[in-house]
Amino acid sequence: MNTVYEKLMRCYKSVQEKIHFRPGVALVLGSGLGDYADGIQVQEVLDYSHIEGFPVSTVPGHKGRFVFGYVRDVPVVIMQGRVHYYEGYDISDVVLPIRLMKLMGAQKLFLTNAAGGIGDGFQAGDFMLITGQIANFVPSPLIGPNMDELGVRFPDMSEIYDKDLQKVILGAAKDLEIPMQQGIYIQLTGPNYESPQEVQMCKTLGADAVGMSTACEAVAANHMGMQICGISCISNLACGITDHPLTHKEVQDTADRVAPLFKQLITESIVRIGKLK
Ligand code: HPA
């Protein structure tokens, strides 16, 4: 049997033994949003370390657990802490939690991250609705024997980010009077930030924001037929666009500063997504 599928099934069985909650929406929390899950009506919590075979993050300060509960009346599963490719995991491990949340019942996926701004007019602290992505700088999580149980061998990627969900988020942002940028997210491996030349390359390729997560998760989720949406917090202007050296502290400080607004936007968006068919 396929070892990636076997591992996923082992994790799924482990979750099923412990959790009896069926989420509709899966939410992945990026930098600055770690405590969003503490503000919802929590029903159940499952530490990643209690799931047999589950990849556990090595980044200090990253909590690692699934939180199950309600955003108003919408049943959600929240990933508090994700694993990154730069930590040294196989890409199939990086997307395992996404696949698991789909198996738990979540049909919709809400991805968030912190990213470097490339797009014209972008400022640190902006939010960007992700309308498309470039994932080719990390391996596809679909490499290897296809898991026919999850999806087809050659999945279409023409609309990874669901148009209806995009409209919902823009509507929520408008009503909350939160300005939104829109654009293309590009994932590089990290963990180093980009050189100015690499940022220029990303811009030439059409990217508006650069980060180290998300796109591979969206590929795996799209393979499984999930409806996907995503928002980047532009935590800094990318290297060479800003004139000062980048630090993780700057990324965290900006993400923390705009987190209250980001949380409002997520809550309002999820409530509206819950009302969709
Ligand atoms: N580059 C890559 N990843 C990031 C950045 C960046 O500038 N900011 C936050 N995550």
Side-chain angles (χ1 to χ4, degrees):
M1 226 233 271
N2 179 326
T3 53
V4 174
Y5 189 68
E6 256 176 34
K7 188 174 194 171
L8 178 64
M9 285 302 125
R10 198 163 66 242
C11 289
Y12 181 46
K13 192 161 162 280
S14 182
V15 170
Q16 275 186 313
E17 282 163 11
K18 298 177 174 78
I19 299 293
H20 302 98
F21 185 90
R22 196 170 169 83
V25 178
L27 171 65
V28 182
L29 299 176
S31 300
L33 292 175
D35 62 354
Y36 178 80
D38 304 334
I40 72 160
Q41 283 171 258
V42 177
Q43 299 289 112
E44 297 183 77
V45 172
L46 181 58
D47 281 0
Y48 297 156
S49 59
H50 294 164
I51 305 172
E52 208 193 314
F54 195 91
V56 180
S57 178
T58 58
V59 179
H62 277 237
K63 274 190 196 156
R65 55 187 203 163
F66 287 119
V67 177
F68 301 85
Y70 293 93
V71 173
R72 306 254 178 89
D73 56 356
V74 183
V76 298
V77 53
I78 300 181
M79 258 181 86
Q80 208 173 19
R82 51 153 66 98
V83 293
H84 298 86
Y85 186 57
Y86 61 72
E87 292 175 71
Y89 295 102
D90 195 274
I91 199 80
S92 62
D93 277 338
V94 175
V95 303
L96 183 145
I98 303 290
R99 289 174 165 155
L100 199 49
M101 293 193 292
K102 169 69 163 60
L103 294 176
M104 292 174 195
Q107 180 55 35
K108 300 189 172 72
L109 175 64
F110 200 134
L111 296 166
T112 67
N113 58 52
I118 300 175
D120 291 337
F122 279 26
Q123 305 274 355
D126 284 353
F127 298 118
M128 185 189 87
L129 177 74
I130 305 176
T131 58
Q133 70 175 33
I134 299 168
N136 311 94
F137 289 87
V138 291
S140 169
L142 309 184
I143 289 173
N146 186 52
M147 294 175 279
D148 297 332
E149 297 86 349
L150 306 188
V152 297
R153 171 77 290 189
F154 301 108
D156 172 64
M157 294 277 155
S158 55
E159 194 190 307
I160 298 179
Y161 293 89
D162 186 86
K163 288 268 176 1
D164 291 335
L165 297 186
Q166 290 185 43
K167 271 189 214 139
V168 167
I169 291 172
L170 289 175
K174 185 158 182 276
D175 292 347
L176 291 169
E177 299 184 353
I178 298 174
M180 290 294 281
Q181 305 278 10
Q182 299 185 38
I184 308 301
Y185 179 91
I186 188 168
Q187 178 177 3
L188 303 187
T189 65
N192 52 293
Y193 293 116
E194 302 69 38
S195 68
Q197 295 74 30
E198 287 159 350
V199 169
Q200 276 312 309
M201 172 193 74
C202 294
K203 193 172 170 71
T204 303
L205 293 178
D208 299 291
V210 56
M212 307 175 193
S213 65
T214 302
C216 61
E217 297 166 344
V219 168
N222 188 70
H223 178 233
M224 291 182 81
M226 295 179 90
Q227 277 175 284
I228 306 164
C229 59
I231 303 175
S232 292
C233 165
I234 304 300
S235 53
N236 57 280
L237 293 182
C239 182
I241 297 186
T242 173
D243 55 9
H244 59 265
L246 292 183
T247 62
H248 184 53
K249 183 171 184 315
E250 176 184 353
V251 169
Q252 271 182 323
D253 286 351
T254 309
D256 290 346
R257 175 169 62 78
V258 298
L261 217 52
F262 204 169
K263 290 176 191 172
Q264 277 183 39
L265 179 57
I266 291 168
T267 297
E268 190 54 37
S269 298
I270 289 180
V271 168
R272 294 180 189 205
I273 287 169
K275 295 200 176 99
L276 293 176
K277 262 204 292 106

